[in-house]
Amino acid sequence: MTGAELGVVLALLLTCLVALLLVQTARREAAAVRARAADDVADLRADSRRRDEESRARVDEVRALEKDLVARRARLEAAEARHQDQVLSAAGAARLASEELAGRQAEVERELESAAGLSREDALARLTDVLRTQATRQAEATVRTAEASARRTADQTARRIVAAAVQRLSVPTSSAVAVTLVPLPSDDLRGRIIGREGRNIRTFEAVTGVNLLVDDDSSTVQLSSFDPERREVAHATLQMLFDDGRIHPQRIESAYALALAGSDDRAVAAGHDAAERAGVLRLPHDLVVVVGALRLRTSYGQDVLEHSVEAALVAAALAAELGADVEVARRAAFLHDIGKARSLTAGGTHAAAGADLLRDAGESAEVVNAVAAHHGEVAAETVEAVLVQAADAISAARPGARRDELERYVERMERLEGLAAAHHGVVRALALASGHELRVVVEPAAVPDADLPGLAREIARDIEAALSFPGEISITVVRELRAHATAG
């Protein structure tokens, strides 16, 4: 046998040996698996027997409970039957007792009727009358006591509410005056305002109709006029001149034209500012413009716009104290004098004009009624309308709010200008220096130079006959002829 063959034989033997070892290992593992499987089966059988025993025990318990429930149900049914029997017996006894009591009551009533000589109905009617009389007297006494108590406390309560509303209001005195002070930005503007030989002041006064006073030692310029609209336009004109720095007659006239054209924008700004201070929201633009125009109206010297803001704050405070609608009271009080901006052109009272204006603007019926009723011209339909009346009276009656003398002064100045404007050819009449100076501008084509002295004397005679005034009134008639041309 060769070496190669011997190697093959050894390899085969080795392979056989490995195969035998593997077979033996597999047999041992299989035996172990069979042993474990047998143990598992035994465990499962034991567990199954235990569960079966528990199930049988539970079934026995359920059956015992069912028997117990059946026995209890039977006992309850028996007890219920006994209770029903007792109830029926008691009802029968009660019925018999009630019948016996009714019979006895009837006998007692017959005996009482016989002893009193009255039937049951008559006695009941008499008793009812007596009780009604006593109740009426007691109610009347209670009402009288309540009325007396209300009278004792009503004034005190009303004063407390009004005082609380007024204490929450902190606004300056709103009385208008005939003078507006404008601060000077710098001292070198004082000479420019005066101009050469005072020509700028004369031009400013002739254009605006407002007195312009400049003191050498003052840091302000004073604008004086009874007409708040003129003062407002003059103030805007002067502010434009200060901002520009160029001050001469032509520039004064152009600044006045710009200030006059910007009146609506200033009205809108004033209306928005007043509505914001009063706490009134969502005010239509058309109403804002009309409200802003109230800044140029006064009532017995009181600025109407400031009065409206003040009345709105007072009405809101009163409504909060009384539990009324705060926003309706605030809005109606703020708008209650809006008709004063239209009453002169629309006719009628300012309350009716304001109510019509607000109705057309789509305001609520509560606000319209409060505005129409704030002077008692129509009946107040809501509590808020009454509060608007009270707020209007509080704002007007507080110390320093109104000055009757200033109102008469304004009326005198307007009448003075009206007497001069009624003459033929007069274009414009301006009362200056508290009514001591009257400047009358005439149409050059209607009044020649030769007629100016006669017109001045005629105006003076009319003023002497129609007005009583202290001192003297200087009347100046101005006739100015201008020609303009453009080259190019």
Side-chain angles (χ1 to χ4, degrees):
M1 181 179 297
T2 63
E5 293 175 351
L6 183 60
V8 170
V9 171
L10 289 175
L12 290 174
L13 289 176
L14 226 133
T15 303
C16 291
L17 182 60
V18 171
L20 286 176
L21 290 174
L22 292 174
V23 169
Q24 290 296 327
T25 303
R27 286 180 179 177
R28 283 195 298 272
E29 291 179 354
V33 169
R34 283 195 296 272
R36 285 197 299 273
D39 293 338
D40 292 340
V41 169
D43 293 339
L44 290 173
R45 287 177 179 176
D47 190 20
S48 176
R49 284 194 297 272
R50 186 171 60 257
R51 291 180 180 177
D52 291 341
E53 291 175 356
E54 291 177 354
S55 298
R56 285 194 293 271
R58 290 179 180 175
V59 170
D60 293 339
E61 290 178 359
V62 171
R63 289 176 180 174
L65 290 174
E66 288 179 352
K67 291 179 181 179
D68 187 25
L69 289 175
V70 171
R72 290 185 178 181
R73 186 180 295 111
R75 289 195 298 272
L76 288 174
E77 290 176 353
E80 185 176 358
R82 290 194 301 272
H83 178 67
Q84 290 179 354
D85 293 340
Q86 293 175 357
V87 169
L88 292 175
S89 300
R95 191 181 303 108
L96 293 176
S98 177
E99 292 175 356
E100 183 179 358
L101 180 60
R104 292 183 179 179
Q105 184 176 359
E107 292 179 1
V108 170
E109 289 179 356
R110 285 193 295 271
E111 292 177 359
L112 289 174
E113 290 176 358
S114 176
L118 293 173
S119 64
R120 181 176 180 276
E121 289 74 12
D122 294 339
L124 183 60
R126 289 191 179 185
L127 180 61
T128 303
D129 292 339
V130 172
L131 292 177
R132 185 183 294 111
T133 302
Q134 292 178 353
T136 302
R137 292 177 179 174
Q138 185 176 1
E140 290 176 352
T142 303
V143 169
R144 286 194 296 271
T145 303
E147 289 179 350
S149 177
R151 282 193 295 271
R152 287 193 302 270
T153 59
D155 292 341
Q156 181 179 358
T157 303
R159 284 194 295 269
R160 180 188 61 80
I161 292 175
V162 172
V166 173
Q167 284 174 356
R168 296 178 187 176
L169 182 67
S170 178
V171 296
T173 300
S174 59
S175 294
V177 295
V179 174
T180 300
L181 297 178
V182 183
L184 274 171
S186 60
D187 292 337
D188 61 335
L189 287 175
R190 184 180 290 106
R192 299 183 194 178
I193 295 172
I194 297 173
R196 181 179 299 176
E197 299 179 355
R199 66 171 186 170
N200 289 343
I201 289 183
R202 290 194 299 272
T203 303
F204 187 90
E205 292 178 346
V207 170
T208 62
V210 177
N211 278 354
L212 178 62
L213 303 178
V214 182
D215 293 334
D216 294 337
D217 56 350
S218 176
S219 61
T220 60
V221 176
Q222 179 176 307
L223 300 175
S224 175
S225 174
F226 74 93
D227 191 331
E229 184 173 1
R230 293 181 193 170
R231 288 202 314 274
E232 194 265 348
V233 175
H235 185 189
T237 303
L238 192 59
Q239 196 62 52
M240 289 183 186
L241 295 174
F242 285 164
D243 294 340
D244 188 8
R246 297 174 298 164
I247 304 177
H248 50 80
Q250 291 76 17
R251 179 56 185 160
I252 292 173
E253 292 178 357
S254 63
Y256 174 75
L258 292 175
L260 198 61
S263 179
D264 289 341
D265 294 336
R266 292 193 296 274
V268 171
H272 281 300
D273 178 68
E276 182 178 354
R277 287 186 288 128
V280 177
L281 306 177
R282 299 182 300 277
L283 198 63
H285 178 75
D286 294 341
L287 294 183
V288 171
V289 176
V290 180
V291 168
L294 293 177
R295 76 195 189 283
L296 305 177
R297 291 296 305 271
T298 59
S299 178
Y300 293 100
Q302 185 180 28
D303 186 285
V304 175
L305 186 58
E306 293 299 326
H307 164 65
S308 299
V309 174
E310 185 175 324
L313 298 176
V314 172
L318 290 174
E321 287 288 335
L322 296 176
D325 193 324
V326 174
E327 295 308 319
V328 170
R330 183 197 306 273
R331 194 177 189 88
F334 180 69
L335 299 173
H336 78 284
D337 272 345
I338 194 172
K340 288 186 176 181
R342 296 290 179 87
S343 59
L344 295 179
T345 57
T349 64
H350 72 273
D356 294 339
L357 178 62
L358 296 179
R359 190 180 295 108
D360 295 339
E363 289 292 326
S364 64
E366 293 82 1
V367 173
V368 172
N369 174 254
V371 172
H374 79 273
H375 281 315
E377 297 173 9
V378 300
E381 299 175 356
T382 60
V383 176
E384 290 76 17
V386 178
L387 294 180
V388 171
Q389 294 176 353
D392 181 29
I394 290 171
S395 175
R398 67 181 179 83
R402 293 189 172 185
R403 296 176 182 173
D404 193 19
E405 295 80 3
L406 182 59
E407 189 75 10
R408 289 198 294 267
Y409 165 73
V410 172
E411 291 177 357
R412 187 170 67 253
M413 295 298 100
E414 291 177 347
R415 189 177 179 188
L416 182 62
E417 291 183 351
L419 289 173
H423 289 76
H424 173 69
V426 175
V427 177
R428 190 180 184 191
L430 303 174
L432 303 174
S434 299
H436 292 287
E437 182 179 352
L438 182 64
R439 294 187 184 180
V440 182
V441 181
V442 299
E443 177 65 35
V447 181
D449 287 340
D451 293 345
L452 295 184
L455 178 60
R457 288 191 297 270
E458 186 179 350
I459 293 174
R461 285 194 300 268
D462 290 345
I463 293 174
E464 290 175 353
L467 295 178
S468 59
F469 51 89
E472 297 179 348
I473 298 177
S474 174
I475 301 169
T476 304
V477 180
V478 179
R479 179 181 182 272
E480 184 180 9
L481 183 62
R482 293 188 180 188
H484 296 277
T486 302

